[in-house]
Amino acid sequence: MLEVLPQLPADPILGLSAAFKQDTNPNKVDLGVGVYKDELGRTPILGSVAKAQKILLANEDSKVYIAPQGVPGFISGMLELLLGKSHRTLLENRVAAVQAPGGCGALRILAELLKRTGGNPTVWVSDPTWANHIPLIGSAGLKIETYPYFNKEQASINFDAMVACLEKVNKGDVVLLHGCCHNPTGADLTKEQWHKVLELAQQREFLPFLDIAYQGFGDGLEEDVYGLRLLADNLPEVIIAASCSKNFGLYRERVGLAALIGANSQVKNALQTQIQSVARGIYSMPPSYGGALVDIILNSSDLNAQWQAEVTEMRERMQTLRRLLATKVKEQGVSRDFDFITQQKGMFSYLCISPEQVQKMRSEFGIYFVDSSRVNVAGINTENVGYVAKALAAVL
Ligand code: LMR
């Protein structure tokens, strides 16, 4: 029976790492999977995380199951990080939440929960969106449609087209929005545009589904949740999937948060049971380790301050690399303006070149990034930036 299952092609993002490893080009550059790298190309354990690990090791006295909703201090710390201390939805006891196995786990359990509503909502995702959104949400059996988001020719958000599409979304549909650092384009909504999204959500009565995987990598920890808080302040219902992979560097620990803001505390209480029951039906309860580390960091003023400084350092490094890449491309005499790279936010930039040109960068220069032309800015360093710019000029 099992032989009926065919072999599948490599994952469009994760497959790049395997291909990169096999490449024997001594100049090869990995700008594929979205992981932060330092100047030496390493993804180090953050200093705050290393200290939290020591504290955890010294104090952990059991490996018994944790509560189905996860580590309590993790959940409260993350909700405060996302929504702000004493946010009214927290004071009004309107937020149900569980610790999830990564941002992916959060997306999936929220999708399963939406399916349970029985309303069979369509989930609208940006065009383009992170490649894994479609399988994660689609596997729950939800219908997915796209709304226009990015204009490749102009390398900017096509907001008029986005608005025109969202004006037709049905009541009860779900609109997936990237809280910050849009993956794959790096093009984020302005404050004014978030206000327009709020107005549309109120008019059309759609449910915003915020995916926030890069808080702190755009403009700052507070600045990056402007849209999320605006919607949470003004709408009866919002759902949130957050990841700690990037801003805590806890990629392999798989730690994220799935949260649902309900209209009142009664709804919240029901949602809490529902979301725990969804998780119980898939993986029972979350792993403890990553959540325990985030709990220690967020709830210790010293470690929290150290972590915030580390997030700032990562953000500023990526901003510097953006400017460096744009300058180096200009120095190559490329007529096309690549300054948009400096405007984009977070870990990714969309170079707006064709899949053929992306392939050429890979086969002729050993520079690996996603076919859509998404590059991981953090994979650039002062040593390889000139080579990347030269290759880009050559394929153009
Ligand atoms: C990415 O977008 O590269 C990361 O979020 C890693 C992944 O799972 O795709």
Side-chain angles (χ1 to χ4, degrees), residues 48-57 71 74 248 250 253 288-299 303:
S48 52
V49 170
K51 283 187 190 162
Q53 293 196 116
K54 286 202 180 117
I55 295 172
L56 184 60
L57 196 63
V71 177
F74 165 80
F248 287 88
L250 286 170
E253 304 305 350
S288 150
Y289 192 69
L293 297 178
V294 173
D295 170 20
I296 292 169
I297 293 169
L298 290 181
N299 293 304
L303 288 188

Side-chain angles (χ1 to χ4, degrees), residues 13-14 32-34 104 130 132 183 214 246 348 374:
I13 297 177
L14 302 183
V33 183
C104 286
W130 177 45
N132 211 27
N183 181 2
Y214 299 88
K246 327 281 170 164
F348 304 116
R374 184 197 87 168

